Amino acid sequence: MEEKRAAVLDDPASSSGYEIVHSKSKVFYPEFERKTDLKHQTHYCPGCGHGVAHKLIAEALEDLELQNDTILVSPVGCSVFAYYYFDVGNVQVAHGRAPAAATGLKRACPDKIVIAYQGDGDLAAIGTAEIIHAANRGEKITIFFVNNTIYGMTGGQMAPTTLVGQKSTTSPWGRRPVNEGFPLHMSELLSSLEAPVYIERVALSDNKNIMKARRAVRKALEKQRDGAGFSFVEILSPCPTIWGKDPMEARRWVAETMIPNFPLNVFRDRKVEIPVNNAPPQKTIAELIGIEKKVDGKTSEPARNHRFHDLTIKIAGFGGQGVLLLGQLLAEMGMREGLEVSWLPSYGPEMRSGSAHCHICLSKERIGSPLISQPSVLIAMNELSLRKFASQVAPGGVIIYGRTALPVDFSCPQAQIVCIPASELADKLGSAKVANVVMMGALLEETECLSPATAMQVLEAKVKNPALLELDRKALDAGRLYIDDTVAVGAVTQADGFAQ
Amino acid sequence: MRQLCKGNVAIIKGALLAGCRAYYGYPITPASEIAEAAALYIPQVGGTFVQAESETASINMVYGAASAGIRVMTASSGPGLSLMQEGMSYLAGAELPCVIVDVMRGGPGLGNIAPEQSDYFAMVKGGGHGNYRNLVLAPASVQEMAELTVLAFDLADKYRNPAVVLTDGFVGQMMEPLDLEYREVVAPPKPWAVQGTAETRKNMVSSIFLETDDLEQHQRQLEAKYQRAQNSETRWEEYCTEDAEVLVIGYGIVSRVLRSAVDQARNRGIKVGLFRPISLWPFPAKELVRAAGRTERILVSELSNGQMLEDVRLALDGKKPVAFYGRVGGNVPTVEELTEKIEEQMAVSA
Ligand SMILES: Cc1ncc(C[n+]2csc(CCOP(=O)(O)OP(=O)(O)O)c2C)c(N)n1
Ligand code: SF4
C-alpha cells in the first residue's frame, strides 16, 4: 500500500479518532474478518466521507432487502477494501475498470444488483472511457462516485476534480488550468448522454445534505431493482486527512467550496425508452455451427478419382474481381469431392483498392503449407498479376489468363498458357461480375481438376437468387465452351499432367 | 459433416460448443472475424456480445463475467493484447478462468497486419506485471482453431486461469474443412463465483493480498497449480521423427510450412522430422528432449526474432546445437526456403 495511507493507518495516535461503527446495518459484517487487525473499525480516517457513503449504501440495501442479490465492485483507491465491510458478493477490480467489470457481471447476472463504487481518480481519470461507455450503453448498474477532489490512497496527488487553485502534491502551486486544465464535472458530462435514467449529485456536508444523499442512494438502487437503467450518484465527500483539516472543517469545506463548484442537482430522473428492435432469432448450437444431423446424405461427395495427388492454384487480380470468392468456390468443390483443401487469402485493406490473391491447395493427403510458392496453376485475372506471378508457376504448370491474348512482350516458357477474355464473355451474359465464374469454367475445362457438376452443386448451395444462379451457370458454360473451341482450333494444347 | 470454414470463425464455433455465452471485444485486423462471428452467433443462443470501447474495457468485462462463473472470451491481435496485459495479470491473480485469443500480426507498434509470431514472449512468459502464467495453446489448422478453443475453455476452468489461443494472421484468415461433433458441455461447478445469491454472498474475487506472507502464500499456491499443469498439460505433435537426423521445430503456421519442407527434404534423401509444440505453456520440454535425443542437428523456425527458440534451448540445456531461422515483418518462409535451411543443417553435421 502507498506510504501516506500506511502512515495514517499505523499511527496509534490517529487511530483513536477512527470512526467506530457500532449500530451497524446487517449488510455490514458484524466483525471485519478480512481486515488483519482492528477488526471493529474501518480503515478510513476520522471524518472520511467513504465511511458515511458506505453506511448509506448498506442501509439502503438492507431496507430494500437486496443483500443476497447484490454484487459490489470495489475500485482502486481508499475504498479498495470496501469488501472488508459489505456482507454481499464482492469483486475487486483494476484501477478505473469497475464499470467494465460491472458490465460483465450484470450481463451474466441480469436480475442481480451490481454496484460499482469509485473514487474520482478511478472514475474520472484512468476510467473515463469505461464510465462514459457503460453509461452510454445504459448498463443496468448503479455507480456511486465519491468525489473528494483528490487522490486519497496515493497520498494527495491532483485529481481530475481538483479545484482551480487547489494545492496537491502534484499541483504544488495550486491547480493551474494553463497546465492542468479545469475540473471535470462528471454528472454534467454523463447527463449529455441518452441512456442514463438517474443522475444526481449530493454532498456529505451536513445532516440535511446527508439525508438527501440517503434518498439518492436509495433511489438509484430502486432504479436498478426495477430494471430501469443506468443510475449514477456523485457524492461530494470530505477527505480531512489529505485536505489537512479536522473533520468539521472538512465538512464545511465541502459545503462552502466544493458545492459552489459542483452544484447539487438531480440532473436526470426519467424513464428512458430504449428501442428493442431487431431482436436476434434463437437457434440451437448445432444449427448455428452447421453440425446438425445429416439431412440429405449428399452433403459430402464420394472421392473422385483425381488425376493429381496435390494441386496448388494461385488466383490473382484486382480487388473486386471475385478473386477470393473464386478460390473459396474451388476449395469448397475440392472438399465436396473428398479432398483435403486449404484456402489462404491476401487480406486486409489492400484488398479494397489494389490487388487481391489467394492460394488454394487440393490434396489427397493432409496439407502442409497452405502458402504456395510454386503453383501448378495460376489464374491471372489481369495483366499485372500475370506479370507478377507467372514466373512462380511450376514447370509444366498452367496459366489461365483472363484476356484475349498475351501482352506482346510476354513469355513464360515453363508453363502452358490459355487466354480467355473473361470480362468480355461475362459482359455479354449481362454482368461483368461473373468473370470469375467464366474463369472457373476455363480452369475446369482446361485441367479437368474438379467436376463441373460439383461446381454447380456448390453454386446452388451458395447462390439463393435463381436469376443469379442461372447467370452463373451460363458463365461456367461460357468459360468451358470457349476453351473447348480454342482447343479445337489448336491454339493451345491440353494440359493433363501437373507438376507434383 | 465437413464444412469449409475460416480459422477465425472456427474459434467461435468451438467457443459455442464449449458453452461460451459471452464475448467482449474490439475489432482489429486480422482478428476481426472472431468478433463478427461472435456478434452473429452468440446472441442467437441467448448469450451476450458487446463491442467494448477498447481492449482494456473488453478484458475487464471478461473479468466481470468470469467472476460470475460463466464461460467468457475475448480476442484481438498484438496492439489489443498489449492493452489487455493489465487485465490478464488481474485475471491470473484473481484466478479467473477465461479464454483470450491472439491472432498475431507484425509488430512492434502498429507494425502491419501480416502474420508474425512475435507475441510469444508476451503470452507465454506473461506480458503483464507479477508472477503468473497463461495456459497457451497454438493451433495450426482451422480444425484446431475450434478444437483448441474448446480445450482452452476446459483448461481455464480446470486450473482457474486464463487460457490463451495463440495463433497468427494466416491461420486466422485461411479456410479449411472443419469437422465438429456435438458434445454436451459439462463445465465444472464454480462454488467460488460471485452471482448475487444467498449461497455466493460470502464469496469474493480479488487479487489483493496486503500482507506479504499472504501474498507469498498465494503465489506459492499459484506456483503449485502451474506445476500441476506443467506435469499433465503438455501437448505436441511429431512427424517423421522416428529415424530423423535433423529435427525441425515450429508451431502454428510455420509448422505447416515445415511439414511440407520435411516431405521435400525427405524426397531428397534427408532424414528430417518435425516437432510441433501444441501447448506453448506448458512447453513440452520433456517430450522435446526425448524427440531430440535421436537427432544430431536441431533447427527452430519462427516468425519472430527467436522467442520460442529460448524455450527450446532451455529444454535442451546446451546438450545439442540449436540453429535458428526466423522471418519477420509479416514474411512467411516458403517450403523451398526451409528445405534449403534443412539441407544446410545436414551439411553442417556431415
Ligand atoms: C494502473 C494503476 N495506476 C496507478 C495506481 C495507483 N493508485 C492507486 S489509488 C489511486 C488514486 C485513487 O484516487 P481516487 O480514485 O480519487 O480515490 P480515493 O483514494 O481518493 O478514494 C492511484 C493513482 C494503480 N493502483 N493502478
Ligand atoms: S485519505 Fe481521505 S479518502 Fe482516504 S480514508 Fe483518509 S480521509 Fe478518506
Side-chain angles (χ1 to χ4, degrees):
Chain A
M1 226 23 57
E2 283 84 354
E3 300 76 67
K4 196 130 182 190
R5 280 290 310 130
V8 173
L9 279 169
D10 291 342
D11 179 4
S14 75
S15 75
S16 62
Y18 276 72
E19 181 173 0
I20 299 179
V21 188
H22 282 305
S23 64
K24 279 190 302 211
S25 156
K26 70 181 180 54
V27 170
F28 286 133
Y29 292 111
E31 213 177 288
F32 305 137
E33 289 295 337
R34 285 176 177 148
K35 284 189 78 195
T36 38
D37 50 15
L38 305 174
K39 290 178 196 277
H40 289 279
Q41 61 193 43
T42 73
H43 70 290
Y44 297 113
C45 308
C48 173
H50 280 305
V52 181
H54 282 22
K55 250 186 179 167
L56 300 182
I57 295 167
E59 282 171 11
L61 288 175
E62 182 176 356
D63 293 352
L64 298 172
E65 296 180 4
L66 292 174
Q67 181 172 19
N68 282 335
D69 300 307
T70 296
I71 302 170
L72 177 70
V73 181
S74 50
V76 177
C78 279
S79 49
V80 64
F81 300 119
Y83 60 81
Y84 282 171
Y85 313 117
F86 284 93
D87 182 2
V88 297
N90 279 287
V91 176
Q92 202 292 315
V93 302
H95 196 21
R97 317 297 176 216
T103 296
L105 277 159
K106 183 73 183 191
R107 301 280 184 130
C109 310
D111 305 329
K112 305 303 177 182
I113 301 295
V114 178
I115 300 171
Y117 185 105
Q118 300 184 262
D120 44 55
D122 197 78
L123 181 138
I126 196 165
T128 321
E130 283 81 359
I131 187 62
I132 288 181
H133 287 275
N136 193 48
R137 286 191 303 269
E139 297 295 342
K140 297 187 167 98
I141 57 178
T142 302
I143 308 277
F144 294 119
F145 168 42
V146 176
N147 176 358
N148 57 16
T149 71
I150 205 83
Y151 284 14
M153 167 166 264
T154 41
Q157 297 81 13
M158 194 192 75
T161 48
T162 296
L163 301 178
V164 171
Q166 184 182 347
K167 284 188 179 164
S168 77
T169 58
T170 50
S171 55
W173 300 284
R175 182 178 194 154
R176 298 183 310 138
V178 69
N179 197 53
E180 285 98 25
F182 292 90
L184 264 179
H185 292 73
M186 289 308 295
S187 292
E188 286 83 347
L189 211 142
L190 295 178
S191 297
S192 71
L193 305 175
E194 281 295 312
V197 293
Y198 182 61
I199 299 174
E200 179 166 0
R201 184 186 286 125
V202 297
L204 306 178
S205 53
D206 52 65
N207 286 346
K208 201 171 119 237
N209 273 331
I210 291 175
M211 290 311 288
K212 278 192 184 166
R214 164 173 289 152
R215 280 195 293 276
V217 164
R218 185 169 307 233
K219 194 158 181 182
L221 291 170
E222 283 169 346
K223 295 274 182 189
Q224 184 175 176
R225 180 199 59 194
D226 301 340
F230 179 88
S231 54
F232 181 92
V233 181
E234 176 173 349
I235 304 170
L236 305 184
S237 174
C239 171
T241 303
I242 303 289
W243 295 351
K245 300 185 189 318
D246 69 36
M248 285 320 291
E249 281 171 359
R251 283 189 175 200
R252 217 173 305 126
W253 197 78
V254 174
E256 290 167 8
T257 311
M258 279 187 83
I259 293 178
N261 280 284
F262 293 104
L264 305 189
N265 195 5
V266 180
F267 294 93
R268 176 71 56 84
D269 183 3
R270 70 177 190 207
K271 258 211 172 104
V272 175
E273 291 301 335
I274 298 186
V276 280
N277 50 333
N278 303 336
Q282 296 299 297
K283 295 198 177 139
T284 68
I285 293 169
E287 266 178 304
L288 261 187
I289 64 185
I291 51 173
E292 70 273 35
K293 281 168 215 81
K294 275 182 198 170
V295 265
D296 52 5
K298 66 162 193 178
T299 42
S300 184
E301 291 292 305
R304 270 177 75 239
N305 199 10
H306 299 96
R307 263 182 292 178
F308 56 84
H309 189 269
D310 293 303
L311 183 66
T312 53
I313 305 171
K314 182 162 190 155
I315 310 176
F318 292 127
Q321 281 187 308
V323 166
L324 301 186
L325 181 62
L326 172 54
Q328 281 182 22
L329 293 172
L330 292 173
E332 180 92 38
M333 287 161 61
M335 188 183 73
R336 286 189 183 226
E337 292 189 7
L339 294 165
E340 293 302 326
V341 302
S342 66
W343 171 88
L344 180 70
S346 57
Y347 59 86
E350 87 268 24
M351 283 160 47
R352 268 153 230 156
S353 49
S355 59
H357 66 257
C358 61
H359 297 178
I360 301 100
C361 298
L362 308 172
S363 177
K364 289 181 176 163
E365 272 182 50
R366 178 168 158 181
I367 292 169
S369 177
L371 181 72
I372 304 168
S373 43
Q374 264 205 338
S376 28
V377 176
L378 170 68
I379 299 180
M381 307 277 285
N382 60 21
E383 185 178 331
L384 196 75
S385 309
L386 178 76
R387 291 191 185 275
K388 197 165 167 192
F389 298 120
S391 62
Q392 295 180 358
V393 175
V398 175
I399 298 175
I400 299 180
Y401 178 47
R403 308 295 296 271
T404 321
L406 291 175
V408 278
D409 61 339
F410 180 86
S411 81
C412 184
Q414 92 275 21
Q416 318 206 33
I417 306 177
V418 182
C419 297
I420 171 166
S423 308
E424 289 82 341
L425 289 172
D427 268 339
K428 260 190 234 155
L429 293 174
S431 168
K433 279 200 168 150
V434 292
N436 59 348
V437 182
V438 173
M439 292 297 269
M440 177 155 82
L443 170 79
L444 301 188
E445 192 62 24
E446 175 63 22
T447 68
E448 297 178 1
C449 59
L450 297 163
S451 126
T454 318
M456 277 321 296
Q457 273 178 21
V458 169
L459 285 168
E460 274 160 21
K462 296 247 178 247
V463 185
K464 298 291 172 223
N465 177 328
L468 291 180
L469 182 63
E470 188 48 32
L471 193 60
D472 281 326
R473 181 198 311 279
K474 285 184 180 153
L476 189 70
D477 287 347
R480 294 180 62 200
L481 265 176
Y482 186 87
I483 296 300
D484 223 20
D485 292 348
T486 326
V487 171
V489 298
V492 288
T493 49
Q494 181 75 33
D496 282 339
F498 296 102
Q500 288 277 306
Chain B
M1 185 190 105
R2 299 205 305 169
Q3 51 177 308
L4 194 65
C5 186
K6 205 174 227 209
N8 280 342
V9 176
I11 293 262
I12 292 301
K13 296 197 170 187
L16 284 173
L17 265 190
C20 170
R21 292 296 174 273
Y23 182 104
Y24 297 96
Y26 190 85
I28 184 169
T29 309
S32 294
E33 295 85 358
I34 306 180
E36 289 165 357
L40 180 63
Y41 291 143
I42 295 183
Q44 294 194 56
V45 294
T48 302
F49 169 86
V50 173
Q51 180 169 323
E53 57 272 24
S54 69
E55 292 84 351
T56 306
S58 313
I59 197 73
N60 283 283
M61 291 171 180
V62 166
Y63 184 102
S67 299
I70 65 168
R71 284 193 159 180
V72 57
M73 71 176 292
T74 186
S76 187
S77 185
L81 265 296
S82 289
L83 281 186
M84 290 187 195
Q85 292 307 310
E86 176 200 41
M88 289 171 71
S89 167
Y90 275 76
L91 283 155
E95 295 191 85
L96 291 174
C98 65
V99 171
I100 299 154
V101 182
D102 180 3
V103 186
M104 289 184 282
R105 61 186 241 173
L110 209 47
N112 64 27
I113 57 170
E116 257 191 13
Q117 296 179 319
S118 46
D119 298 353
Y120 184 96
F121 282 158
M123 296 302 117
V124 173
K125 306 291 177 183
H129 58 286
N131 290 313
Y132 75 96
R133 292 291 189 182
N134 299 312
L135 298 152
V136 184
L137 301 171
S141 66
V142 170
Q143 182 71 21
E144 280 191 349
M145 289 288 256
E147 282 175 3
L148 293 184
T149 299
V150 176
L151 178 64
F153 276 104
D154 288 344
L155 292 180
D157 277 347
K158 181 171 172 190
Y159 291 95
R160 278 189 66 180
N161 202 71
V164 175
V165 176
L166 187 64
T167 184
D168 63 80
F170 271 179
V171 181
Q173 293 296 323
M174 70 191 217
M175 291 178 103
E176 285 184 326
L178 172 67
D179 199 355
L180 290 177
E181 253 172 55
Y182 190 74
R183 80 198 249 283
E184 287 300 327
V185 180
V186 259
K190 298 178 182 173
W192 49 264
V194 177
Q195 295 168 326
T197 59
E199 304 74 59
T200 62
R201 196 176 94 193
K202 62 177 189 322
N203 291 349
M204 175 177 79
V205 167
S206 165
S207 59
I208 308 180
F209 297 84
L210 210 47
E211 298 297 317
T212 54
D213 286 347
D214 292 348
L215 184 55
E216 186 169 41
Q217 196 201 335
H218 173 60
Q219 290 196 36
R220 295 272 182 249
Q221 177 246 320
L222 290 182
E223 203 47 54
K225 172 172 98 174
Y226 298 145
Q227 193 56 52
R228 278 202 308 283
Q230 183 79 61
N231 294 342
S232 46
E233 305 300 348
T234 49
R235 286 170 172 82
W236 75 101
E237 188 191 31
E238 293 177 40
Y239 178 58
C240 298
T241 50
E242 306 76 32
D243 62 343
E245 290 165 10
V246 178
L247 187 68
V248 292
I249 306 170
Y251 69 95
I253 188 67
V254 175
S255 71
R256 298 284 299 263
V257 187
L258 281 172
R259 193 183 164 95
S260 294
V262 165
D263 288 341
Q264 197 169 66
R266 283 207 169 243
N267 282 339
R268 298 180 193 172
I270 299 175
K271 287 186 177 165
V272 53
L274 167 66
F275 185 91
R276 170 171 81 99
I278 296 174
S279 60
L280 297 177
W281 201 89
F283 191 74
K286 267 194 245 132
E287 296 81 2
L288 173 60
V289 169
R290 197 181 328 112
R294 303 177 287 262
T295 63
E296 285 157 34
R297 310 289 311 179
I298 288 155
L299 172 68
V300 174
S301 183
E302 283 177 79
L303 306 183
S304 82
N305 56 353
Q307 300 195 8
M308 182 187 68
L309 174 66
E310 292 194 359
D311 280 329
V312 172
R313 289 199 167 133
L314 272 176
L316 297 175
D317 201 18
K319 296 197 178 84
K320 304 257 168 172
V322 180
F324 177 68
Y325 185 65
R327 292 296 305 267
V328 293
N331 286 319
V332 180
T334 63
V335 178
E336 288 71 26
E337 207 173 331
L338 289 177
T339 308
E340 212 173 279
K341 292 292 151 192
I342 294 170
E343 284 173 330
E344 278 173 22
Q345 286 307 305
M346 274 318 274
V348 178
S349 60

